[in-house]
């Protein structure tokens, strides 16, 4: 891969108590790519993200961020290129007001007051929280806290944005809005977006490529179609394809004309495939385009 945001080769990480969390991890994420790290709880996802962002140091192997190898001499500069958003936003929000939280990072860079104010304003505008700058973070909703946590990272102007379980604890409406926000942020900001999650239904909306992490090892990688059709790797990692994919798999088994793989991964894709399949295999005419897609998507 010519233009790499993250390049990890033979990476191993061992905790002080001797437990090996990651074993011989080889992983590459392209610049501006949307990638997902998929794994069950305890697979090592959070540890992997901490290595990517320079929070932890690998015991073995090499890690390059934007083509520069992570070493004791380069780590401080490289950390500014990577923004890590924790699963629990309360771990990132600790100041009396939202403005102070977002300003904390830039102030610690020693930036001038005007530059700090500019960065805070830009970050809060980007996440849609400008009107709440003087609010205590603990008064925000869960969805607002997640966006606020991202603002604290954006104020540092990273090139790579890493999110740990971004859809955790969100109700369906907030989840859909937050995913839409992340996609807009990726598109407008030109960021590399790396998401670690076991929420497989969100992955087709947030990523183009995926890696399965199981017991500290990468056991599968590729496009979403390739990864979610790898039944052995999914079963071993205690994962399943997205819900709509499982539904289409079941439907396909009860027809004389199975749906041609790869099966759809999202509701919108499933509606399109089913319409085409019905038009080609029966005398029934597919339902005319309406608001079905939007209505069904709101339920996911």
């Amino acid at each position: 891969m010519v233009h790499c945001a993250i390049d990890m080769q033979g990476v191993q990480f061992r905790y002080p108590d001797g437990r090996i969390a990651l074993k011989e991890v080889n992983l590459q994420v392209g610049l501006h790519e949307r990638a997902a790290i998929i794994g069950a709880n305890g697979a090592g996802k959070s540890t992997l993200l901490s290595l990517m962002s320079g929070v932890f140091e690998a015991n073995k192997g090499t890690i390059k961020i934007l083509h520069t190898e992570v070493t004791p001499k380069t780590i401080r500069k490289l950390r500014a290129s990577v923004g890590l958003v924790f699963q629990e936003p309360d771990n990132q929000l600790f100041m009396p007001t939202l403005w102070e939280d977002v300003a904390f990072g830039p102030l610690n860079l020693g930036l001038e007051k005007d530059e700090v104010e500019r960065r805070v304003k830009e970050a809060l505008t980007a996440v849609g929280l400008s009107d709440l700058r003087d609010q205590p973070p603990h008064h925000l909703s869960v969805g607002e806290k997640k966006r606020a946590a991202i603002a604290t990272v954006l104020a540092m102007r990273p090139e790579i944005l890493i999110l740990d379980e971004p859809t955790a604890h969100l109700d369906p409406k907030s989840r859909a809005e937050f995913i839409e926000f992340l996609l807009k942020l990726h598109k407008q900001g030109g960021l590399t977006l790396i998401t670690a999650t076991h929420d497989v239904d969100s992955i087709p909306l947030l990523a183009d490529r995926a890696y399965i992490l199981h017991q500290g090892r990468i056991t599968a990688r590729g496009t979403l179609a390739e990864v979610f059709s790898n039944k052995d790797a999914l079963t071993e990692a205690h994962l399943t394809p997205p819900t709509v994919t499982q539904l289409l798999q079941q439907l396909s088994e009860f027809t004389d004309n199975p749906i041609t793989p790869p099966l759809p991964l999202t509701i919108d894709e499933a509606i399109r495939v089913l319409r085409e399949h019905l038009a080609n295999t029966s005398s029934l005419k597919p339902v005319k385009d309406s608001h079905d897609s939007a209505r069904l998507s709101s339920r996911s």
Side-chain angles (χ1 to χ4, degrees):
M1 192 177 294
V2 178
H3 301 292
C4 258
I6 302 285
D7 185 1
M8 308 178 78
Q9 299 296 324
V11 170
Q12 176 176 297
F13 182 79
R14 183 193 302 267
Y15 281 104
D17 62 5
R19 179 172 59 91
I20 297 178
L22 296 173
K23 312 166 189 175
E24 297 297 326
V25 169
N26 298 310
L27 179 150
Q28 288 181 315
V29 178
L31 196 63
H32 308 310
E33 191 172 68
R34 299 185 308 158
I37 313 297
I38 317 170
N41 290 332
K45 299 190 300 298
S46 295
T47 303
L48 183 61
L49 299 191
S50 294
L51 285 167
M52 286 182 176
S53 58
V55 175
F56 291 164
E57 182 179 349
N59 303 119
K60 178 183 176 183
T62 61
I63 301 174
K64 291 183 179 180
I65 298 175
L66 300 170
H67 298 285
T68 299
E69 184 172 348
V70 176
T71 67
K73 291 183 178 180
T74 63
I75 186 60
R76 181 168 182 173
K77 182 178 179 181
L78 289 175
R79 279 177 182 155
S81 301
V82 185
L84 173 61
V85 181
F86 301 136
Q87 177 178 345
E88 300 296 339
D90 287 332
N91 292 337
Q92 255 166 301
L93 304 171
F94 50 84
M95 299 295 283
T97 68
L98 179 55
W99 188 95
E100 291 172 284
D101 260 321
V102 180
F104 182 84
L107 284 171
N108 277 276
L109 291 177
L111 300 177
E112 296 292 333
K113 183 178 179 180
D114 288 348
E115 177 62 16
V116 172
E117 178 65 38
R118 186 180 300 111
R119 290 196 181 198
V120 173
K121 184 177 180 180
E122 289 177 358
L124 289 176
T125 298
V127 302
L129 295 178
S130 297
D131 294 341
L132 302 178
R133 57 176 285 162
D134 296 321
Q135 285 287 319
H138 63 272
H139 286 178
L140 304 178
S141 69
V142 176
E144 288 171 339
K145 285 182 179 179
K146 284 182 176 286
R147 284 189 283 152
I150 290 178
T152 67
V153 170
L154 292 181
M156 302 295 287
R157 295 186 177 170
E159 295 181 57
I160 303 167
L161 183 62
I162 301 177
L163 302 111
D164 192 1
E165 298 288 357
T167 58
H169 312 311
L170 293 177
D171 60 59
K173 182 176 182 292
S174 298
R175 177 180 177 275
E177 291 174 347
F178 191 64
I179 288 173
E180 183 179 357
F181 158 72
L182 289 175
L183 295 179
K184 182 180 179 181
L185 189 64
H186 171 262
K187 184 177 181 180
Q188 294 182 343
L191 297 166
T192 300
L193 186 64
I194 302 173
T195 305
T197 185
H198 59 258
D199 177 9
V200 293
D201 287 329
S202 72
I203 292 167
L205 304 174
L206 287 171
D208 302 307
R209 293 180 60 80
Y211 301 81
I212 293 180
L213 185 66
H214 177 58
Q215 294 183 351
R217 295 183 184 275
I218 300 292
T219 57
R221 71 190 70 216
T223 65
L224 300 188
E226 291 169 340
V227 169
F228 283 123
S229 63
N230 191 332
K231 294 182 180 180
D232 291 340
L234 288 171
T235 300
E236 179 188 41
H238 310 295
L239 298 169
T240 63
T243 305
V244 70
T245 308
Q246 296 181 64
L247 174 62
L248 268 291
Q249 285 174 339
Q250 294 293 317
L251 290 175
S252 194
E253 291 176 4
F254 288 96
T255 177
D256 293 331
N257 298 291
I259 298 172
T260 304
L263 292 174
L265 301 174
T266 67
I267 289 178
D268 287 341
E269 289 177 5
I271 291 171
R272 176 183 56 78
V273 168
L274 283 173
R275 283 195 175 113
E276 293 174 357
H277 189 69
L278 287 172
N280 294 330
T281 61
S282 76
S283 59
L284 293 176
K285 294 182 180 180
V287 178
K288 291 182 179 180
D289 246 344
S290 65
H291 297 295
D292 291 349
S293 177
R295 177 168 51 81
L296 287 170
S297 295
S298 68
R299 296 179 183 177
S300 64

